[in-house]
């Protein structure tokens, strides 16, 4: 829930807002597609009249936007969109926000790169998009104001201003955001607690409200320097959030929970690239970030009070050097290295009825030094056939002081082999075999609380090994001349050192749980992506775009010894987006449907299941002038509910002595979102 609240409050979107739906089909000449790179000029998006590069990217047929992962270091953190052939040197300033600040009028073209292209770092992915900006002097800007009218009477407003200017080869960018947003996972609804025999122990009504604020300032500058080009970007982001949950018991009395989370993020990044000759390019990247988080959570019930406090400070320093050389028209080489210094300082306090309760890894200082060297060769064996082979070697040392004192060193070799074959007729086959090594999450190192009301103690564990996986992937893509695109992907992962909740034993007795390595596991995924123009069905300018993912995971439970799914993995995820563009009326209509999902978490004495229903948004955009856009959204038309089901046991789950089952069913309610955007230049 905290993560959802922290994302709230943008001027141009809300937490619950689905991305804009795709526009009419984009059809290009076959020769470009057969080479594995499809270039979409601005004219391909003309009927949709997009506002920003973000809108254009979301309209790419057969492409699913991914803004990247929040991991340490630069390798693997970027999403699947490049800007001028480069991944952004930014983390807290997310990729979708960067794309929203690029006006559609400043885009020369968008390249859909399938299987690799000379001089392009694919970031370990088989398909990426590359936004190529036009070079033109002048200034552009936009101001947006929005309001979210929630059915409970709240009106959450936001403003946003951004500008871009280019002069003599130099580019300047700035953005200001100040806005409030809701948490759509909390609302009002019933709660019932059942005993082991089905008897009702507690019946209550829950009144829950949550939201957050974003006060963000970002800026960037690009300029020629010493025969190369330098880009420097920075951000200051303050994101306070809060939630208030009142649980009125039917027999009288109440349970009350209130928490606040204040996150302050600062970052500074830079990239310098220079040609060392007609076939060689050198790139240097540096990045620094500071993240401070203060969390306060209080819970009160008849005869019970819990208080949880967490203060956490994280810093990261990263440097990366990459050399790229074109050996021949069909062969290119990339070599480089990356070094990172990371530090976490965390203090945690937990009191029960006024008495302090010690938590494992409550006060710790963790330091990590990590280095990686890498090399990759890309070979275009013949037109339509591209192979890439890469090798990475990662070493790291981690030390912890405070409640947990330890030092350890880790080393991993990560090979990668991929193949892309364009067979003609719009068909392409992509194969990949790779050893992936996940990053350790600093949040797993320290004690935390997911919800004080549950009473669960979530201990930390700095003595973790990263999860590893041998991944085998096959993807088949078919593009028809009428704009229909179908992509089917099958991915198999053999896992080692799976990270999940594991029991902590004291003298042979399980007393708590913490993140731990459970051993080997498996993950199997099937993904289908479909883009379907609707002109032949009588809806001129209409399009349906959707994606579905089926996922199966397994690991041996350390308590029961039986095979179960891995915590937090969603078995099914899907979404569908419909739009119809009416350029003669200067109107865009559409509907976004985000499928419901289910997550399950296995702890020492509890199994928690979270279920969310289908989220439906109907929207319309009216553009009376080129520089003015009004967007109205009717959110949560299906009145989605969010359930939390807790199966709590008397002791460890392995004893199978069920104490109670607690079911909370909350409904966020419907909302109306209105945004007005005015552009300049």
């Amino acid at each position: 829930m905290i993560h959802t609240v922290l994302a709230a409050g943008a001027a141009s979107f809300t937490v619950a807002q689905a991305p804009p739906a795709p526009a009419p089909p984009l059809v290009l000449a076959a020769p470009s597609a057969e080479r594995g790179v499809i270039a979409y000029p601005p004219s391909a998006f003309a009927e949709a009249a997009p506002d920003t590069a973000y809108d254009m990217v979301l309209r790419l047929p057969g492409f699913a936007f991914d803004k990247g992962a929040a991991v340490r270091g630069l390798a693997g953190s970027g999403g699947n969109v490049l800007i001028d052939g480069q991944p952004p040197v930014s983390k807290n300033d997310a990729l979708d926000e960067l794309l929203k600040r690029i006006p559609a009028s400043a885009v020369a073209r968008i390249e859909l790169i399938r299987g690799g292209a000379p001089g392009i770092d694919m970031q370990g992915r088989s398909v990426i998009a590359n936004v190529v900006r036009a070079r033109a002097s002048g200034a552009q800007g936009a101001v947006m104001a929005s309001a979210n009218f929630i059915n409970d009477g709240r009106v959450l407003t936001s403003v946003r201003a951004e500008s871009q200017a280019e002069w003599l080869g130099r580019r300047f960018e700035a953005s200001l955001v100040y806005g409030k947003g809701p948490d759509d996972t909390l609302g009002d609804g019933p709660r019932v607690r059942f005993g082991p025999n089905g008897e009702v122990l507690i019946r209550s009504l829950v009144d829950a409200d949550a939201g957050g604020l974003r006060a963000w300032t970002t800026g960037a500058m690009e300029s020629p320097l010493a025969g190369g080009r330098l880009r420097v970007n920075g951000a200051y982001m303050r994101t306070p959030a809060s939630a208030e949950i009142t649980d009125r018991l039917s027999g009288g009395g109440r349970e009350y929970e209130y928490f606040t989370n204040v996150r302050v993020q600062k970052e500074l990044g830079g990239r310098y690239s220079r040609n060392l000759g007609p076939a060689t390019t050198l790139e240097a990247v540096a990045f620094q970030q500071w993240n401070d988080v203060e969390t306060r959570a209080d819970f009160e019930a008849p005869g019970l009070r819990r208080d949880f406090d967490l203060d956490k400070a994280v810093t990261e320093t990263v440097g990366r050097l990459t050399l790229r050389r074109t050996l021949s028209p069909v062969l290119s080489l990339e070599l480089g290295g990356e070094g990172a210094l990371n530090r976490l300082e965390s203090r945690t306090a937990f009191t029960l009825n006024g008495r302090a309760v010690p938590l494992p890894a409550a006060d710790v200082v963790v330091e990590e030094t990590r280095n990686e060297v890498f090399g990759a060769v890309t070979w275009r064996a013949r037109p339509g056939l591209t192979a890439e082979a890469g090798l990475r070697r990662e070493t790291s040392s981690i030390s912890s002081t405070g409640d947990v004192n330890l030092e350890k060193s880790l080393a991993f070799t990560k090979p990668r082999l991929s193949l892309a074959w364009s067979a003609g007729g719009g068909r392409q086959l992509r194969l990949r075999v790779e050893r992936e090594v996940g990053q350790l999450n600093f949040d797993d190192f320290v004690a935390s609380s997911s919800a004080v009301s549950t009473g669960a103690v979530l201990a930390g564990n700095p003595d973790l090994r990263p999860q590893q996986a041998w991944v085998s992937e096959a993807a088949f893509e078919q593009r028809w001349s009428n704009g229909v695109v179908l992509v089917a992907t099958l991915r198999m992962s053999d896992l080692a050192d799976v990270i999940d909740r594991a029991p902590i034993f004291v003298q042979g007795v399980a007393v708590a749980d913490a993140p731990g390595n459970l051993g080997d596991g498996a993950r199997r995924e099937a993904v289908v992506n479909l883009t379907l123009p609707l002109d032949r069905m009588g809806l001129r300018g209409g399009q349906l775009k959707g994606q579905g993912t089926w996922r199966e995971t397994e690991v041996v439970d350390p308590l029961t010894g039986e095979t179960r799914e891995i915590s937090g993995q969603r078995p099914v995820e899907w979404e569908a987006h419909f739009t119809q563009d009416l350029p003669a009326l200067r109107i865009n209509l559409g509907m976004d449907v985000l499928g419901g999902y289910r997550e399950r978490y296995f702890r020492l004495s509890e199994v928690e299941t979270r279920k969310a229903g289908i989220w439906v948004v109907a929207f319309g955009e009216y553009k009376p002038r080129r520089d003015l856009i009004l967007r109205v959204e009717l959110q949560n038309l299906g009145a989605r509910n969010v359930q939390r089901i807790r199966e709590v046991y008397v002791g460890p789950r392995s004893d199978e002595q069920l104490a109670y089952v607690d079911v909370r069913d909350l409904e966020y309610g419907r909302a109306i979102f209105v945004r007005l955007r005015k552009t300049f230049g």
Side-chain angles (χ1 to χ4, degrees):
M1 179 175 63
I2 291 177
H3 298 291
T4 306
V5 175
L6 288 175
S12 60
F13 80 109
T14 64
V15 170
Q17 180 180 350
L26 311 180
V27 184
L28 294 179
S32 176
E34 299 306 335
R35 289 197 301 268
V37 179
I38 306 177
Y40 294 94
S43 59
F45 305 92
E47 289 192 5
D51 309 331
T52 67
Y54 180 69
D55 300 330
M56 300 169 77
V57 165
L58 291 177
R59 289 168 168 84
L60 292 174
F63 180 77
F65 175 73
D66 179 2
K67 67 179 181 180
V71 298
R72 298 185 305 285
L74 297 175
S77 64
N80 60 354
V81 178
L82 306 178
I83 300 176
D84 292 331
Q86 302 288 353
V89 189
S90 177
K91 292 187 179 182
N92 302 306
D93 194 9
L95 179 58
D96 55 340
E97 290 296 308
L98 294 172
L99 294 173
K100 288 174 184 177
R101 293 202 292 269
I102 301 176
S105 59
V107 177
R109 66 184 182 278
I110 297 182
E111 300 171 340
L112 188 61
I113 303 172
R114 303 139 61 234
I120 294 294
D121 181 2
M122 297 293 290
Q123 299 288 297
R125 301 176 183 269
S126 58
V127 178
I128 61 173
N130 179 31
V131 176
V132 181
R133 292 178 291 183
R135 295 290 180 183
S137 297
Q140 296 175 308
V143 176
M144 286 162 284
S146 66
N148 206 326
F149 301 88
I150 314 298
N151 73 326
D152 58 12
R154 287 180 293 165
V155 179
L156 307 179
T157 58
S158 299
V159 293
R160 177 175 183 152
E162 57 193 38
S163 63
Q164 306 84 30
E166 190 160 346
W167 176 68
L168 296 179
R170 295 174 173 84
R171 177 181 282 129
F172 303 90
E173 304 169 12
S175 174
L176 298 173
V177 175
Y178 188 89
K180 297 179 180 180
D183 178 352
D184 60 77
T185 65
L186 288 179
D188 302 335
R191 170 191 165 213
V192 182
R193 177 175 292 183
F194 301 94
N197 298 317
E199 68 276 20
V200 176
L201 303 179
I202 295 177
R203 191 184 298 275
S204 66
L205 291 176
V206 179
D207 180 1
D209 296 315
L213 171 72
R214 294 208 308 187
W216 289 11
T217 302
T218 62
M221 181 199 73
E222 288 186 35
S223 175
L225 179 66
R229 190 164 184 85
L230 173 69
R231 177 180 173 88
V232 177
N233 56 268
Y236 178 86
M237 303 173 169
R238 187 174 183 273
T239 314
S242 63
E244 187 175 27
I245 305 172
T246 302
D247 203 338
R248 295 180 174 85
L249 307 178
S250 59
R254 71 167 191 168
E255 295 181 356
Y256 177 77
E257 181 177 356
Y258 181 78
F259 75 80
T260 60
N261 185 291
V262 179
R263 181 184 297 271
V264 177
Q265 301 162 293
K266 295 168 285 186
E267 68 175 32
L268 183 65
R271 171 187 285 110
Y272 178 73
S273 57
R274 188 180 190 280
N275 292 332
L276 302 182
T280 306
T281 301
L282 180 66
E283 178 184 274
V285 175
F287 178 77
Q288 176 72 49
Q289 71 166 329
W290 304 263
N291 286 340
D292 299 324
V293 181
E294 295 182 2
T295 301
R296 305 286 182 268
D298 304 315
F299 175 76
E300 297 178 4
L304 177 65
R305 179 180 176 87
R306 299 190 187 98
D307 300 285
F308 178 84
D309 297 328
L310 169 65
D311 292 329
K312 183 173 63 176
V314 179
T315 61
E316 179 182 30
T317 305
V318 185
R320 182 181 177 91
L321 192 66
T322 305
L323 181 71
R324 298 185 179 94
R325 182 170 177 80
T326 301
L327 303 177
S328 74
V330 298
L331 191 65
S332 61
L333 174 68
E334 178 180 282
L335 299 172
E338 178 176 305
L341 300 174
N342 303 286
R343 177 182 171 88
L344 162 71
E345 186 172 353
S346 175
R347 295 183 178 275
T348 308
F350 182 62
T351 61
L352 179 62
N353 291 333
R355 299 183 61 180
V357 177
L359 298 178
D363 296 331
V364 295
V365 175
V366 180
E367 294 182 336
E368 178 190 39
T369 302
R370 186 167 50 82
N371 299 288
E372 182 180 81
V373 293
F374 56 87
V377 176
T378 302
W379 178 38
R380 189 168 295 278
R382 58 185 177 84
L385 180 62
T386 301
E388 179 188 343
L391 186 66
R392 297 174 181 266
R393 175 67 176 177
E394 174 186 317
T395 60
S396 64
S397 61
I398 300 175
S399 65
S400 173
T401 58
D403 291 350
V404 179
N405 295 285
L406 63 86
E407 291 186 13
K408 65 179 180 180
S409 298
L410 301 169
F412 300 98
T413 301
K414 300 178 288 185
R416 169 186 168 86
L417 180 62
S418 64
L419 181 71
W421 176 42
S422 297
R427 293 183 294 273
Q428 188 183 63
L429 177 65
R430 298 187 289 267
L431 304 175
R432 175 174 70 100
V433 177
E434 182 175 5
R435 189 192 188 203
E436 297 180 344
V437 178
Q439 279 205 20
L440 293 173
N441 187 345
F442 269 10
D443 289 340
D444 290 337
F445 290 8
V446 300
S448 62
S449 175
S450 61
V452 173
S453 61
T454 68
V457 176
L458 304 182
N461 179 14
D463 192 15
L464 287 171
R465 287 178 57 84
Q467 180 173 292
Q468 305 121 60
W470 276 103
V471 181
S472 302
E473 178 182 279
F476 175 76
E477 176 182 303
Q478 175 67 67
R479 292 175 177 264
W480 285 273
S481 58
N482 59 2
V484 177
V485 181
L486 175 66
V487 183
T489 304
L490 182 63
R491 188 180 302 115
M492 312 286 286
S493 301
D494 292 327
L495 308 177
D497 289 326
V498 173
I499 295 179
D500 205 331
R501 305 300 296 190
I504 297 176
F505 292 93
V506 176
Q507 297 180 349
V509 178
V511 296
D513 63 69
N517 296 117
L518 304 194
D520 296 338
R523 180 171 57 240
R524 294 173 284 272
E525 296 171 298
V527 184
V528 175
N529 185 299
L530 176 66
T531 301
L532 181 65
L534 302 177
D535 294 73
R536 293 188 177 183
M537 301 179 185
L539 290 176
R540 179 174 174 79
Q543 189 182 69
L544 182 65
K545 186 175 181 180
Q547 177 170 298
T549 301
W550 292 263
R551 183 179 295 110
E552 184 180 64
T553 64
E554 60 182 48
V555 70
V556 175
D557 192 298
L559 280 172
T560 65
E562 299 178 352
T563 299
R564 62 163 172 83
E565 65 185 86
I566 299 173
S567 292
Q569 300 291 303
R570 298 178 180 179
V572 178
E573 293 181 279
W574 64 272
E575 60 185 72
H577 308 282
F578 162 77
T579 191
Q580 186 171 17
D581 300 312
L582 305 171
L585 301 176
R586 289 175 286 189
I587 292 176
N588 301 88
L589 301 175
M591 179 172 290
D592 300 314
V593 182
L594 305 182
Y597 62 85
R598 191 267 291 166
E599 299 174 340
R600 185 161 289 158
Y601 298 85
F602 298 84
R603 302 191 173 104
L604 173 64
S605 302
E606 177 181 337
V607 177
E608 180 181 353
T609 302
R610 303 173 188 174
K611 295 181 179 180
I614 297 174
W615 182 270
V616 180
V617 175
F619 68 86
E621 284 190 345
Y622 176 54
K623 305 176 183 180
R625 305 196 312 249
R626 287 184 55 191
D627 61 344
L628 197 63
I629 301 172
L630 175 66
R631 182 181 177 96
V632 178
E633 296 181 4
L634 305 179
Q635 299 180 344
N636 197 20
L637 291 180
R640 180 182 77 171
N641 67 321
V642 177
Q643 285 188 331
R644 186 191 69 183
I645 304 170
R646 299 177 56 224
E647 302 169 65
V648 181
Y649 295 81
V650 177
R653 290 183 290 106
S654 54
D655 294 344
E656 298 183 350
Q657 297 184 31
L658 184 67
Y660 60 84
V661 177
D662 196 282
V663 180
R664 189 177 73 181
D665 192 350
L666 305 183
E667 184 178 296
Y668 168 71
R670 297 177 177 87
I672 299 176
F673 175 79
V674 180
R675 183 188 71 198
L676 184 65
R677 175 186 173 98
K678 175 68 171 68
T679 60
F680 304 91

